[in-house]
Amino acid sequence: MRKKVTVIGAGNVGANCALRIADKELADVVLVDVVEGVPQGKSLDLLQSGPVQGYDVMLTGANDYEPTANSDIVVITAGFPRKPGMSRDDLLLANYEVVRAATEQAVKYSPNSILIVVTNPLDAMCQTAHMVSKFSKNRVIGMAGVLDSARFRTFIAQELKVAVENVTAVVMGGHGDTMVPLVRLSSVSGIPLSELMDQATIDRIVDRTRNGGAEIVKYLKTGSAYYAPSAATVEMVESILKDKKKVLPCAAYLEGEYGINGLFVGVPVKLGARGIEQIYQVKLAAEEQAMLQKSANAVKELVDVIRQKHG
Ligand code: APR
């Protein structure tokens, strides 16, 4: 039987996820959005690209969740962008409502699905989806680390003028400016980064990675990145649907790993047919562990705001 993926939110990230899933012929796609006509129009447009691109999957748009029934994966990209005058907490609570409602509906129709959360603030939205769905922790996964490490890899390859496919990089922690690019675990075909660049260059690249999202917002002005975020999401979708067991940095619910308890934080995981099949605990240096803890504290602050408001 063909696989089925629901993408909630037919905006920039959602529509590009649908496009990439179709292009790779991974699954039939249902796009859901609150705006009438948009998911229908975009999915019809994507369907009509099939004969030219050579893919043959079904793409459907909807404003309700009935057509999403029995999805293998549900990708949640629905949300509001930050508007002028909105505080970080206002945005957090607005997107909490969106992700809560989306999760509630999606899991009603697809109780056996795996949830991939993309909406920001990412780690807090994962927590929301986890609380609302009551899914086991292996079936709620946040997309952040794949994107952040793709940015890190891009900048390393640019700097060294080497093929980006030779660059491996690990970014852990929350998806925000406290993320932890792990220089020690990053390499070019196995050659440690520290042997290829001086510390000042590494620091500059790490800093640019931490601000990678903001750099793009500054250019776009009216929105945030979507090509790399959708590519990162679909790498996760593919690893799950094809049971590839790729090891990727993703936001996962930690229960004691890295000394962190009851929070979603980005760590290396194995992604396969059961979702998160393993969480890797890498031995961290004291300084790295301190950065990770700081990042987890920043995630906890947001989760506490939600808890205060919603219990
Ligand atoms: N249910 C379904 N869709 C919704 C809902 C809802 N309750 N509320 C809003 N949406 C839809 C909007 O109508 C819009 O089409 O979510 C879509 C969001 O799309 P964009 O505004 O284009 O935002 P996008 O760039 O796709 O980013 C989506 O991903 O990377 C993150 O920070 C980003 O949180 C943001 C999310």
Side-chain angles (χ1 to χ4, degrees):
M1 210 168 82
R2 293 231 297 241
K3 301 285 187 183
K4 182 171 177 180
V5 175
T6 286
V7 179
I8 309 176
N12 281 332
V13 177
N16 277 285
C17 283
L19 168 72
R20 294 186 191 282
I21 291 169
D23 257 343
K24 290 178 163 240
E25 235 176 26
L26 294 177
D28 291 337
V29 181
V30 182
L31 257 182
V32 180
D33 202 286
V34 279
V35 182
E36 266 177 48
V38 166
Q40 292 85 349
K42 288 192 181 180
S43 53
L44 186 57
D45 193 7
L46 283 168
L47 191 65
Q48 292 165 357
S49 319
V52 185
Q53 287 293 97
Y55 59 72
D56 196 356
V57 294
M58 184 44 79
L59 291 128
T60 316
N63 301 115
D64 66 320
Y65 285 77
E66 219 177 309
T68 70
N70 300 318
S71 292
D72 297 283
I73 296 180
V74 176
V75 177
I76 303 177
T77 77
F80 296 105
R82 190 156 159 183
K83 296 194 192 101
M86 221 179 187
S87 75
R88 238 159 81 99
D89 286 0
D90 289 343
L91 177 73
L92 171 73
L93 294 171
N95 279 351
Y96 166 83
E97 278 308 328
V98 170
V99 171
R100 187 194 55 74
T103 305
E104 216 167 72
Q105 288 298 309
V107 305
K108 191 169 123 194
Y109 287 97
S110 300
N112 300 316
S113 58
I114 288 171
L115 305 179
I116 298 180
V117 181
V118 183
T119 306
N120 276 314
L122 191 271
D123 309 273
M125 293 303 105
C126 291
Q127 199 99 17
T128 303
H130 185 233
M131 282 188 303
V132 173
S133 66
K134 300 191 174 65
F135 278 6
S136 54
K137 61 178 181 173
N138 58 306
R139 292 201 285 139
V140 183
I141 313 159
M143 189 295 289
V146 179
L147 170 63
D148 296 329
S149 54
R151 287 179 173 148
F152 196 22
R153 290 169 64 194
T154 305
F155 301 147
I156 293 168
Q158 255 187 345
E159 185 68 34
L160 296 173
K161 299 190 176 54
V162 298
V164 76
E165 67 214 65
N166 285 157
V167 182
T168 53
V170 181
V171 177
M172 287 175 45
H175 186 48
D177 46 20
T178 60
M179 73 177 76
V180 187
L182 280 176
V183 174
R184 194 172 53 87
L185 301 181
S186 304
S187 71
V188 178
S189 291
I191 308 168
L193 215 52
S194 55
E195 294 194 19
L196 298 166
M197 287 180 193
D198 58 29
Q199 193 56 43
T201 309
I202 292 176
D203 290 346
R204 178 166 48 79
I205 290 181
V206 163
D207 197 54
R208 193 173 175 198
T209 302
R210 285 212 175 100
N211 296 301
E215 183 179 0
I216 289 178
V217 170
K218 219 167 125 195
Y219 280 123
L220 296 180
K221 294 187 181 71
T222 55
S224 48
Y226 48 96
Y227 292 122
S230 57
T233 306
V234 174
E235 183 177 25
M236 293 164 64
V237 168
E238 183 172 28
S239 191
I240 294 168
L241 291 182
K242 293 186 176 169
D243 195 22
K244 288 181 77 137
K245 305 195 192 292
K246 278 192 171 182
V247 178
L248 300 168
C250 299
Y253 190 71
L254 300 186
E255 289 179 304
E257 296 90 346
Y258 297 96
I260 297 166
N261 215 343
L263 278 182
F264 275 84
V265 173
V267 292
V269 304
K270 187 199 285 178
L271 281 191
R274 288 180 288 120
I276 294 180
E277 299 189 344
Q278 191 175 341
I279 293 175
Y280 293 91
Q281 285 203 69
V282 187
K283 266 205 197 96
L284 295 182
E287 192 197 35
E288 294 163 345
Q289 178 65 37
M291 283 197 286
L292 187 64
Q293 190 56 53
K294 187 175 163 216
S295 188
N297 293 346
V299 172
K300 185 168 183 298
E301 268 177 36
L302 298 183
V303 171
D304 285 345
V305 172
I306 294 176
R307 286 213 179 107
Q308 272 161 22
K309 185 98 181 158
H310 298 279

